[in-house]
Amino acid sequence: MSEQPKDWLEAELQDTIDEDIEIEMEDAILSAEIKRIYRSHHPDQMPRKGYFHELLRLQSELIKLQDWVSYHKEKVVVIFEGRDSAGKGGAIKRITQRLNPRVARVVALPAPSDREKTQWYFQRYVPHLPAGGEIVLFDRSWYNRAGVERVMGFADEDQVEQFFQDVPEFERMLVRSGIRLVKYWFSITDEEQQMRFLIRIHDPLKQWKLSPMDLQSRVRWEAYTKAKEDMFERTNIPEAPWYIVPGNDKKRARLNCMNHLLGLIPYGEVPHEEVSLPNRVFNPDYEREVLPRELYVPQKY
């Protein structure tokens, strides 16, 4: 048998690994000095080979989870909250990287409009909840009220108190409706957040991540800590408990979160139709037309 299919598969696998490495090369633009400082603060980094081996294994399991959710018409909501720059986005990116966007989607809502500010607080989130066979990952969620809105003064104490009274029952309603609700809090130390903010300031590919709200989180570190503690105390219910992901080590945080999520949901193998490539149908009367050169993207690389 010809070795061509094997060579082709190996090339595809290499492309897959290259994509992972592209995503992982987050500090490629940093100066040598900043790299040195960062590595000195993270001497026990996970070896790249071991990290990618586990990442690909967990992502293959997430595909099985996706198939199970789709087949059984399950509904899954995963909430990602935490300190600014704690690694929520990186974890979400790795979880969804190989999933079908028709099944698993990310919801990251902007600041509410003037109209949305007059709505019932949970109203703007409800349309994004999953139907049967869907997974929704909230990159920040209704817990904005307990965090940034409270600390920054966008919500008064009466509104915050109303939120704390409403959210446990709101989440119990979601669970009673058949939604599997998982809540993650990504935690990092004060020193680690400061270093990541400095990296973003000096990296032109990351400066867009620094919003005025992010910068204020450094000034109001203790206020955010108190708000987080109040939130845990009042919203950590048996039907939807919080799970804390230590995020100082990005790679381990991603893998631990993915592994934990897989362990919470009793997914299994589902029937699949056997896939086979049909033969190409050739029409002897068909002649392919030559398209104008200006339709093509210039071959610069």
Side-chain angles (χ1 to χ4, degrees), residues 36-294:
R36 186 193 64 77
I37 294 172
Y38 186 83
R39 288 170 180 166
S40 70
H41 283 74
H42 301 81
D44 189 30
Q45 292 193 47
M46 190 172 185
R48 182 178 293 276
K49 183 177 179 180
Y51 168 71
F52 280 128
H53 181 273
E54 275 302 291
L55 179 66
L56 290 170
R57 184 186 70 81
L58 292 170
Q59 287 178 333
S60 69
E61 290 297 314
L62 285 167
I63 292 173
K64 295 179 185 177
L65 169 62
Q66 166 193 262
D67 292 345
W68 179 83
V69 167
S70 181
Y71 182 81
H72 292 285
K73 301 302 179 186
E74 291 281 337
K75 296 175 285 186
V76 179
V77 170
V78 188
I79 287 174
F80 292 83
E81 295 284 347
R83 298 279 190 180
D84 292 311
S85 79
K88 302 180 298 297
I92 292 171
K93 189 183 298 181
R94 274 64 175 193
I95 289 172
T96 60
Q97 185 181 0
R98 306 190 192 285
L99 300 185
N100 184 345
R102 294 183 179 89
V103 176
R105 69 178 188 272
V106 179
V107 175
L109 298 183
S113 65
D114 290 340
R115 179 178 180 274
E116 288 171 332
K117 290 177 183 177
T118 67
Q119 294 175 340
W120 173 52
Y121 178 69
F122 297 97
Q123 188 170 340
R124 67 194 298 251
Y125 296 99
V126 169
H128 300 281
L129 294 174
E134 295 178 350
I135 302 170
V136 174
L137 298 90
F138 280 94
D139 187 353
R140 297 207 179 277
S141 65
W142 44 85
Y143 282 99
N144 277 339
R145 175 133 297 178
V148 63
E149 290 188 15
R150 183 182 192 182
V151 173
M152 297 302 298
F154 301 145
D156 60 37
E157 283 305 310
D158 289 340
Q159 291 174 310
V160 173
E161 178 59 30
Q162 188 65 55
F163 170 81
F164 280 137
Q165 291 183 23
D166 291 345
V167 72
E169 186 54 31
F170 174 69
E171 293 181 352
R172 291 188 186 103
M173 289 171 61
L174 298 183
V175 173
R176 287 198 298 268
S177 76
I179 291 176
R180 296 178 183 271
L181 178 60
V182 182
K183 303 187 301 194
Y184 286 117
W185 175 271
F186 278 69
S187 177
I188 56 171
T189 61
D190 188 350
E191 295 79 8
E192 180 68 16
Q193 186 188 60
Q194 181 175 1
M195 175 157 290
R196 291 184 185 179
F197 275 19
L198 289 172
I199 287 174
R200 290 180 179 183
I201 288 172
H202 290 90
D203 185 346
L205 299 183
K206 289 187 176 183
Q207 285 180 0
W208 65 270
K209 293 184 176 184
L210 279 177
S211 70
M213 295 298 103
D214 295 333
L215 297 175
Q216 279 297 313
S217 69
R218 290 299 302 151
V219 178
R220 304 173 191 240
W221 175 274
E222 293 181 0
Y224 272 103
T225 299
K226 184 178 185 304
K228 175 198 70 175
E229 292 168 350
D230 289 347
M231 183 188 74
F232 282 167
E233 182 178 354
R234 302 193 62 178
T235 64
N236 186 44
I237 59 176
E239 297 85 349
W242 281 101
Y243 299 104
I244 298 174
V245 181
N248 273 17
D249 187 315
K250 292 180 182 180
K251 290 184 174 67
R252 290 185 171 92
R254 295 164 192 159
L255 298 181
N256 288 331
C257 181
M258 295 164 73
N259 181 71
H260 183 265
L261 177 61
L262 289 165
L264 290 177
I265 302 176
Y267 70 98
E269 297 286 346
V270 298
H272 287 93
E273 292 185 8
E274 185 174 345
V275 180
S276 59
L277 188 65
N279 292 327
R280 162 84 155 83
V281 176
F282 291 91
N283 184 349
D285 298 325
Y286 171 74
E287 291 186 10
R288 183 175 180 179
E289 294 186 9
V290 177
L291 298 175
R293 292 180 61 84
E294 59 267 21

